[in-house]
Amino acid sequence: MLITPNTMLRDILNADPEVEQIFLNQGMHCLSCLAASGETLEQACDVHDLDVDDFVEELNSFINRN
């Protein structure tokens, strides 16, 4: 899976449930809320004041670690 800023949060979490810890480490503790399931990664990063490009890189490294 290749994650981009437009990837939906639910798709990232479905690809590898272990990735949830990375979100939690970044302060995104609302992954189970209804709004989060319909958000893109870019939208979530905007809300949490995170650099989306850095986060995309971190998530892609984790998801594609094998």
Side-chain angles (χ1 to χ4, degrees):
M1 172 180 203
L2 179 63
I3 296 169
T4 71
N6 293 317
T7 305
M8 302 299 287
L9 292 182
R10 69 175 167 268
D11 294 335
I12 298 169
L13 294 166
N14 286 337
D16 186 341
E18 292 179 19
V19 79
E20 182 177 355
Q21 189 57 49
I22 293 175
F23 284 93
L24 295 174
N25 291 344
Q26 293 292 339
M28 292 188 187
H29 300 278
C30 59
L31 296 174
S32 62
C33 74
L34 187 57
S37 67
E39 281 185 328
T40 65
L41 182 59
E42 185 169 38
Q43 290 168 323
C45 285
D46 285 345
V47 169
H48 293 277
D49 199 28
L50 298 172
D51 183 286
V52 69
D53 295 323
D54 290 344
F55 204 36
V56 163
E57 185 177 330
E58 181 178 5
L59 291 170
N60 276 316
S61 293
F62 184 84
I63 293 281
N64 300 302
R65 66 191 180 279
N66 294 333

